């Protein structure tokens, strides 16, 4: 698991690193785009709501799926879905994760969020 410093400017950098890694592994563009967006959402949430200065990010891929884990290292801070209106600009991150992933969940006392995305093209 890579460790990222809690700095929102690093979200874009992590998106590019994940996209490059998935391309090297031969993951198709559809799966890769979904995975990159999910990493961005989960990492942004960890930076906004976590309390640790370090956030763990892990992306792995197999012929069947790409697995993403983001660990904000702040036990007891369970992710919650926000009640949003049509005018709200924020609060839909977990809805996107749910919509784009095949499965997702929360582990480690709420500090880690994981998901899987079906892989089109396989390493």
């Amino acid at each position: 698991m890579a460790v990222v410093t809690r700095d929102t400017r690093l979200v874009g950098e992590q998106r590019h690193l994940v996209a490059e890694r998935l391309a090297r592994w031969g993951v198709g563009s559809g799966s890769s785009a979904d995975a990159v967006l999910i990493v961005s959402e989960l990492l942004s949430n960890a930076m906004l709501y976590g309390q640790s200065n370090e956030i763990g990010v892990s992306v792995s891929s197999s012929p069947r799926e790409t697995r993403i884990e983001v660990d904000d290292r702040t036990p007891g801070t369970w992710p919650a879905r926000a009640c949003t209106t049509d005018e709200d600009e924020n609060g839909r991150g977990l809805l996107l994760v749910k919509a784009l992933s095949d499965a997702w969940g929360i582990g480690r006392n709420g500090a880690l969020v994981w998901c899987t995305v079906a892989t089109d093209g396989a390493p």
Side-chain angles (χ1 to χ4, degrees), residues 9-85:
R9 295 173 295 182
L10 298 177
V11 174
E13 179 181 304
Q14 288 299 307
R15 271 195 312 264
H16 293 296
L17 290 172
V18 168
E20 288 172 2
R21 178 171 287 162
L22 293 174
R24 266 195 327 269
W25 290 342
V27 175
S29 61
S31 294
S32 179
D34 290 347
V36 168
L37 180 55
I38 289 169
V39 166
S40 180
E41 290 298 325
L42 292 180
L43 192 52
S44 294
N45 281 352
M47 289 188 182
L48 289 171
Y49 303 113
Q51 297 171 1
S52 174
N53 286 327
E54 295 183 338
I55 298 164
V57 180
S58 174
V59 178
S60 58
S61 196
S62 72
R64 292 186 48 198
E65 66 187 20
T66 297
R67 183 177 177 89
I68 300 160
E69 295 180 358
V70 174
D71 186 348
D72 72 12
R73 300 179 179 194
T74 309
T77 56
W78 293 88
R81 290 187 192 148
C83 295
T84 59
T85 67

